[in-house]
Amino acid sequence: FRMNAIRSSLQRQLFQDDERLSAIVSVVKIEGKKKKRPSYLCLTLSAEHPISVRIYLVKEDKEDSYRKKEKFQLRDVRAVDGINPRKPMPDFSITLSDRTFRLTASTCEEKDSFIRQLYKMASKFFPFAMPDFMNVPIPVDEPAIIVPVPNQEEEEAQAIEEYQPISAKEELDFRRLLASTELKLDQADLFVKALSNQLQSLDGANIESMMGSEKAVNQLLDVLDEAIDQVTELDKEMNRCDSILCVVRDSVELIEEKDSLSVVERKNKEKLEKEARKLVAHLDILSNKHLQVLSEANISDPASIARVVEAARAVSQFVAETPKTLRQMKAYQDQNSKLSVLDLFVDRLMSHLTALFKNLAERSDANDWHSLSIPKQSQRHRLLSPLADIVGWLKSTRENVYRAAIDRYIDATRGLYQRIFDKFFDVICNEVNQTVAGAGGDRRSSGSSDGMNANSLSTLIETVLGELNPVITSEQKFCLRFFHINSEGNHLGSDTLSMDSGDSGSIGTRGLDKQVNEQVRSLMGPLFDSSLSSNLDRFTKACCKSNRSNILLLFVIMSKKVLSSTESGSYYAVTFGSLVVLIKRQFDLYMETEAQSLRDVKLTKKTRVGILTTMDRLAQMIRMSEDRFKGSDRRTDLEKWYVALVKATCEGIEKAACSPYTKSPPTVVRFENYHQLYQTLSEQKIACLDNYRKEAKRICEENIDMYVREHMGRPLEKIHLYFEAVSRAKDRIRAEEIAYQQQFSKMELKKVISQYPGKEVRKGLEQLYKKLEKHLVDNSSLLQVVWRNMQEAFIKQLQSYQQIMAECYPNSKIDLEVSIDDVLSFFSDIAQSH
């Protein structure tokens, strides 16, 4: 019933009288089953001729509201798949144009009814272009033999389906015919009788016409018989011509076959000739002269190196460019057998390179030594440069030998740089010691600690880096060109990099990346890493030997140079970075040592603890660091350690406050030192320590309050204890009943109050002030602060006593021996007298 209602709604809202809804199925897409509202596939027929069958995809927007989303013609249906014909299931798919919809019907019956109706429409209107119906329970293979079972219900259904409303023209013709008989619409019997009479008259006229044309029909039959005879003769003639054409076809095919064979033969001869010439030309690449040059090569003579490279290139070209299919030919094998001379040449070349690398390294080490400078290697590079082309040939042809040549160069050159750097840094470290000694002598008269100033240290660093830069960059420049690293391709060509022996400057290789690549690292690292790392570390420790705080200045200077460095493409940048890493490591070690010294507060015997020495140490550390790091871009590293130093200082304060050897109250130790820490941090105004500055102030004030609470009961101790007991009693009984308790009677109250006249109160306050002076350090800035807090606490205490007496002893007219004004006068006089 629901589908019938939906069908009626769709016919009324979307199709009306223009189309008739033939079949409908409620579906959802298989990949979208979670959608709230279903869709509908609708099969319709147009109401007017020519009849058009369409398929609509209809969406339900809201309750009883529909809209057409997509429209297809019946001819767009390509295939319908029922998924599984043996098992009833609602899933099916339909291909419309080039799109396939995978759908699930609400019930299997709806799906089968829709597919069946679609099949009927396709059989009726497109019998010669039927869609493919697969896995559906209807006979789709032979649609012509489908015989429907005659029954009344199907006949009525078919009659309903085949009903077509008459057009306007048909209706007009009918009314004209009705008007010609002069009848009305309710005279149907008379109209049928009139039509029957007209039909009989027309049949009679038709028979008479056929009888009159019998003679003409006989003549037409004779003409047809004659035409058939002529067609038979024509067919025989065509058969004879066809047999002749078959003979001609066989002859032509034979001729074409012979011509094709001749073409193949000619092409094969041309290919063979071409390959033969190519082989001969390839064999001529390697001449006996080339082999003679390699066997008699004099690598020590620069004039013969060019001929050796040319011969080596010819051998490489001969080996590399020979096709595999020609390597079995005797001519190639004969020529290849002569290449044994190449192995002998490579062995002699490696021996020569090994000896040359070693000898040049020893000769370079024997050069004259100049103070505070590193000998340049331009002469050694110039002597090796002529062999660059041969090394490039090794790289393209003998990878293992090429790697061995690099290893032997590294072995010979690494020791050279180790000796050079050791001598250079011996002089540098000696210069550092002399500078420190001179600075110490100048400063001893003024009482300051030994150390180096920024100018002296900066000059030494400039000297070190200025000497390392040309040596490292020149060596990298030579190695990149000599060993053909980062050059395009692995073969030698006309674009091989030319060699020059510049002593300094940036790397000029076009193919060098902005950052040092792995090839450069693998070559330059073994040359410099071990020698440079140890000597740079030695230089750093020498700068910090006299005064470890020099690491701050060293860290600032080197960090500034790293940020302004433009040597990103050179291995020198790696060296630069290595030095910064070493300095950063020493900087962290120095800061960790300082933090530990601030943390380790040791008290060995009973003593009064005042301001800890670590407070002054922290203040000096912060002032010195701020001076050294002024304008530096590495403040982040410093501020991290600031936090650690302040935390370590706080740990030291707590350790001293809790120590069993201290004579001072823990609260005094805390508020004295936290106040000092607050003053130090306030003086410097360091943003990252602002929270710690506020926390130090809070802890200081908190401990002052604790100290005041601990010692305020002493001046009026008995009164204090008495009113504490009264306060506890108020928790058990009503306030007005307190005076009736024997221990809290008015008599007892007067007795306690009488023990503390004004003279006694002043005496107790004076003793309290003396104890406060004893607890605090000499000339403490917090003395008057604590005394004022005690005054406020004492007055609040007196006021609380007065309130308790007003509540528990009303109208007793009993009061303390001293008033608040008296107490204020006592506190002021005591503070002024001291």
Side-chain angles (χ1 to χ4, degrees):
F1 294 102
R2 180 177 177 277
M3 287 304 295
N4 290 336
I6 293 174
R7 182 170 184 156
S8 299
S9 298
L10 291 173
Q11 182 68 53
R12 181 178 63 258
Q13 294 182 23
L14 301 181
F15 304 110
Q16 300 179 358
D17 297 333
D18 297 336
E19 294 177 282
R20 179 167 55 86
L21 191 56
S22 176
I24 181 174
V25 59
S26 174
V27 295
V28 293
K29 291 184 179 179
I30 292 179
E31 62 272 15
K33 290 185 178 181
K34 294 184 179 180
K35 291 186 177 180
K36 295 182 179 180
R37 300 184 182 276
S39 303
Y40 301 96
L41 274 182
C42 300
L43 183 66
T44 67
L45 291 94
S46 62
E48 295 183 358
H49 289 278
I51 295 175
S52 177
V53 182
R54 301 185 183 94
I55 297 177
Y56 290 94
L57 180 60
V58 176
K59 288 286 187 179
E60 184 179 6
D61 289 340
K62 55 185 179 178
E63 192 68 26
D64 295 334
S65 177
Y66 307 94
R67 62 181 176 87
K68 297 176 182 177
K69 185 177 181 183
E70 294 187 68
K71 179 178 74 173
F72 303 93
Q73 299 293 335
L74 181 60
R75 61 175 175 272
D76 296 334
V77 182
R78 298 288 184 265
V80 179
D81 189 354
I83 307 300
N84 192 344
R86 299 180 180 179
K87 180 180 179 182
M89 57 188 302
D91 295 347
F92 71 100
S93 67
I94 180 170
T95 302
L96 301 170
S97 295
D98 56 348
R99 297 170 59 189
T100 299
F101 295 88
R102 293 177 173 82
L103 308 169
T104 297
S106 59
T107 63
C108 297
E109 290 76 9
E110 284 186 24
K111 179 193 80 171
D112 294 340
S113 176
F114 180 83
I115 295 176
R116 190 179 300 110
Q117 191 64 23
L118 180 62
Y119 178 79
K120 288 181 181 180
M121 293 297 180
S123 301
K124 182 176 181 180
F125 295 101
F126 288 93
F128 300 106
M130 284 282 290
D132 293 332
F133 286 85
M134 302 170 289
N135 301 320
V136 295
I138 55 176
V140 299
D141 295 332
E142 298 180 1
I145 63 173
I146 296 176
V147 180
V149 179
N151 57 66
Q152 185 176 358
E153 293 181 357
E154 290 188 0
E155 288 178 357
E156 291 178 356
Q158 184 173 3
I160 293 173
E161 292 175 0
E162 294 180 354
Y163 166 75
Q164 296 292 337
I166 64 174
S167 63
K169 184 176 181 303
E170 290 173 339
E171 182 180 358
L172 181 59
D173 293 339
F174 175 74
R175 291 189 180 275
R176 286 178 181 174
L177 181 60
L178 187 64
S180 64
T181 58
E182 298 181 353
L183 296 174
K184 298 181 180 180
L185 291 175
D186 56 355
Q187 295 174 329
D189 294 339
L190 297 177
F191 181 64
V192 172
K193 185 181 293 186
L195 291 179
S196 299
N197 292 335
Q198 290 183 12
L199 182 59
Q200 289 177 3
S201 63
L202 290 175
D203 288 341
N206 189 25
I207 292 173
E208 289 179 0
S209 176
M210 291 177 61
M211 295 297 292
S213 59
E214 181 179 1
K215 183 177 179 180
V217 171
N218 292 331
Q219 291 176 353
L220 179 60
L221 292 175
D222 294 338
V223 173
L224 290 175
D225 290 338
E226 184 178 357
I228 290 173
D229 294 337
Q230 291 180 359
V231 170
T232 302
E233 291 296 329
L234 180 61
D235 186 56
K236 292 179 181 179
E237 184 64 21
M238 291 180 66
N239 289 335
R240 187 178 67 81
C241 294
D242 186 59
S243 62
I244 295 173
L245 289 174
C246 288
V247 176
V248 174
R249 182 190 61 194
D250 294 340
S251 301
V252 171
E253 290 178 353
L254 182 60
I255 294 172
E256 289 179 349
E257 183 178 357
K258 291 182 178 180
D259 183 65
S260 177
L261 291 175
S262 64
V263 171
V264 172
E265 182 180 4
R266 184 173 66 255
K267 290 182 178 180
N268 287 339
K269 287 181 178 180
E270 291 176 355
K271 289 182 179 180
L272 181 60
E273 182 181 3
K274 182 179 179 180
E275 290 297 325
R277 290 179 178 178
K278 184 177 179 180
L279 175 61
V280 172
H282 185 71
L283 293 176
D284 290 341
I285 292 176
L286 184 61
S287 63
N288 292 330
K289 182 179 179 181
H290 293 148
L291 299 175
Q292 183 179 1
V293 168
L294 291 176
S295 62
E296 301 174 356
N298 183 9
I299 307 175
S300 302
D301 182 12
S304 66
I305 290 179
R307 296 192 299 272
V308 171
V309 172
E310 180 182 359
R313 186 184 295 115
V315 173
S316 301
Q317 185 180 0
F318 173 77
V319 174
E321 297 182 2
T322 303
K324 293 182 179 180
T325 55
L326 300 180
R327 293 183 182 180
Q328 302 299 324
M329 299 187 68
K330 188 175 184 304
Y332 173 78
Q333 294 178 354
D334 291 342
Q335 192 76 324
N336 192 50
S337 63
K338 302 176 183 179
L339 296 182
S340 58
V341 67
L342 185 63
D343 295 332
L344 298 176
F345 165 73
V346 171
D347 292 340
R348 288 193 293 112
L349 173 62
M350 286 301 297
S351 299
H352 178 76
L353 289 176
T354 303
L356 185 61
F357 293 156
K358 184 176 181 180
N359 292 335
L360 289 179
E362 293 175 353
R363 287 172 54 187
S364 298
D365 193 19
N367 290 340
D368 293 337
W369 183 267
H370 301 284
S371 177
L372 293 178
S373 65
I374 300 178
K376 307 302 183 290
Q377 301 298 309
S378 56
Q379 183 178 2
R380 180 172 62 88
H381 294 163
R382 191 179 299 109
L383 293 174
L384 288 173
S385 295
L387 298 174
D389 288 345
I390 296 180
V391 174
W393 172 78
L394 285 176
K395 180 179 181 180
S396 61
T397 58
R398 302 291 180 94
E399 182 69 20
N400 294 334
V401 179
Y402 168 76
R403 293 296 175 189
I406 293 178
D407 293 339
R408 295 182 185 184
Y409 178 80
I410 291 174
D411 291 340
T413 312
R414 177 169 47 203
L416 167 65
Y417 282 115
Q418 181 71 55
R419 295 188 296 272
I420 289 176
F421 290 152
D422 286 347
K423 291 181 180 179
F424 173 71
F425 279 99
D426 285 342
V427 177
I428 287 293
C429 291
N430 184 46
E431 186 72 17
V432 170
N433 295 332
Q434 292 179 1
T435 303
V436 170
D442 295 338
R443 287 177 172 83
R444 272 191 291 270
S445 59
S446 60
S448 59
S449 60
D450 294 344
M452 301 175 64
N453 57 36
N455 293 332
S456 301
L457 193 57
S458 180
T459 301
L460 282 175
I461 293 175
E462 290 289 351
T463 301
V464 172
L465 300 181
E467 289 298 314
L468 290 177
N469 185 2
V471 172
I472 295 175
T473 53
S474 177
E475 182 65 32
Q476 179 181 340
K477 182 179 180 180
F478 167 75
C479 290
L480 292 179
R481 295 183 175 180
F482 186 75
F483 292 106
H484 296 264
I485 296 175
N486 285 342
S487 60
E488 298 181 359
N490 292 329
H491 61 280
L492 291 177
S494 59
D495 60 345
T496 302
L497 295 172
S498 60
M499 300 298 299
D500 66 76
S501 56
D503 294 338
S504 63
S506 61
I507 304 302
T509 308
R510 290 179 58 187
L512 191 63
D513 297 330
K514 292 183 179 180
Q515 300 297 328
V516 181
N517 56 34
E518 292 301 324
Q519 287 182 308
V520 176
R521 287 179 181 273
S522 63
L523 177 59
M524 304 300 291
L527 281 178
F528 294 114
D529 280 354
S530 60
S531 57
L532 273 179
S533 296
S534 58
N535 281 291
L536 289 175
D537 186 57
R538 183 158 63 107
F539 169 70
T540 303
K541 292 179 179 178
C543 292
C544 303
K545 183 177 180 181
S546 62
N547 190 341
R548 296 179 65 248
S549 65
N550 284 339
I551 194 65
L552 301 176
L553 189 59
L554 197 63
F555 183 50
V556 171
I557 294 175
M558 280 306 303
S559 298
K560 184 177 180 181
K561 290 186 175 297
V562 166
L563 293 175
S564 62
S565 174
T566 58
E567 301 287 345
S568 60
S570 170
Y571 192 77
Y572 174 66
V574 177
T575 304
F576 219 64
S578 299
L579 180 55
V580 175
V581 170
L582 290 173
I583 294 174
K584 179 63 167 59
R585 189 178 298 134
Q586 291 294 326
F587 169 76
D588 291 338
L589 181 60
Y590 169 71
M591 285 297 188
E592 179 58 36
T593 304
E594 289 295 317
Q596 189 61 36
S597 65
L598 295 173
R599 189 181 295 113
D600 292 341
V601 176
K602 297 181 180 179
L603 303 176
T604 57
K605 60 181 180 178
K606 285 283 186 177
T607 182
R608 190 179 63 158
V609 178
I611 304 297
L612 299 174
T613 58
T614 55
M615 305 307 299
D616 184 58
R617 186 185 186 98
L618 175 66
Q620 291 181 1
M621 182 68 186
I622 292 178
R623 284 194 291 268
M624 179 179 61
S625 300
E626 287 296 304
D627 180 64
R628 299 287 172 86
F629 277 79
K630 185 179 298 181
S632 174
D633 293 324
R634 299 304 295 265
R635 279 197 61 87
T636 303
D637 299 275
L638 177 64
E639 290 176 354
K640 290 179 181 178
W641 278 111
Y642 272 163
V643 173
L645 292 175
V646 172
K647 288 182 177 179
T649 303
C650 295
E651 292 178 18
I653 294 174
E654 294 299 325
K655 188 174 181 180
C658 300
S659 174
Y661 297 104
T662 178
K663 292 182 178 180
S664 302
T667 52
V668 175
V669 176
R670 288 190 181 98
F671 71 66
E672 287 275 21
N673 286 279
Y674 276 109
H675 177 69
Q676 188 66 29
L677 177 61
Y678 169 76
Q679 287 184 324
T680 299
L681 299 182
S682 299
E683 175 187 351
Q684 297 299 327
K685 297 180 181 179
I686 301 171
C688 68
L689 298 179
D690 192 54
N691 291 334
Y692 293 93
R693 179 182 63 83
K694 295 177 181 178
E695 182 66 12
K697 182 179 180 181
R698 185 193 65 78
I699 296 176
C700 173
E701 294 174 348
E702 183 180 87
N703 279 272
I704 289 176
D705 292 340
M706 291 174 61
Y707 177 80
V708 169
R709 287 196 302 270
E710 288 174 2
H711 296 81
M712 273 314 300
R714 308 292 171 82
L716 305 177
E717 185 172 3
K718 294 181 179 179
I719 294 179
H720 180 72
L721 295 175
Y722 179 83
F723 281 108
E724 275 190 347
V726 172
S727 298
R728 290 194 295 271
K730 285 175 60 179
D731 296 335
R732 302 191 307 272
I733 60 179
R734 291 185 299 177
E736 56 269 19
E737 297 178 359
I738 293 292
Y740 298 102
Q741 302 294 320
Q742 182 177 0
Q743 67 270 28
F744 300 128
S745 65
K746 294 179 181 180
M747 186 66 68
E748 290 294 328
L749 175 63
K750 290 180 180 180
K751 182 179 178 181
V752 172
I753 291 176
S754 64
Q755 297 180 16
Y756 291 96
K759 184 178 180 180
E760 287 295 324
V761 173
R762 181 183 178 92
K763 182 178 179 181
L765 291 177
E766 286 180 347
Q767 291 176 353
L768 180 62
Y769 190 86
K770 291 179 180 179
K771 184 166 292 188
L772 178 61
E773 283 184 320
K774 183 179 179 181
H775 286 163
L776 271 64
V777 299
D778 297 339
N779 300 321
S780 174
S781 60
L782 293 177
L783 177 61
Q784 296 304 321
V785 175
V786 178
W787 185 244
R788 185 168 55 253
N789 286 2
M790 284 188 169
Q791 174 183 302
E792 294 175 357
F794 191 74
I795 291 175
K796 288 181 181 179
Q797 199 174 62
L798 293 180
Q799 291 173 345
S800 66
Y801 297 161
Q802 291 174 349
Q803 183 179 359
I804 293 174
M805 287 190 295
E807 292 178 357
C808 301
Y809 305 94
N811 303 319
S812 64
K813 297 182 180 181
I814 301 175
D815 202 353
L816 297 174
E817 294 290 334
V818 292
S819 64
I820 293 177
D821 291 337
D822 294 336
V823 171
L824 290 175
S825 177
F826 294 160
F827 271 95
S828 177
D829 293 344
I830 293 172
Q832 291 178 2
S833 63
H834 291 77

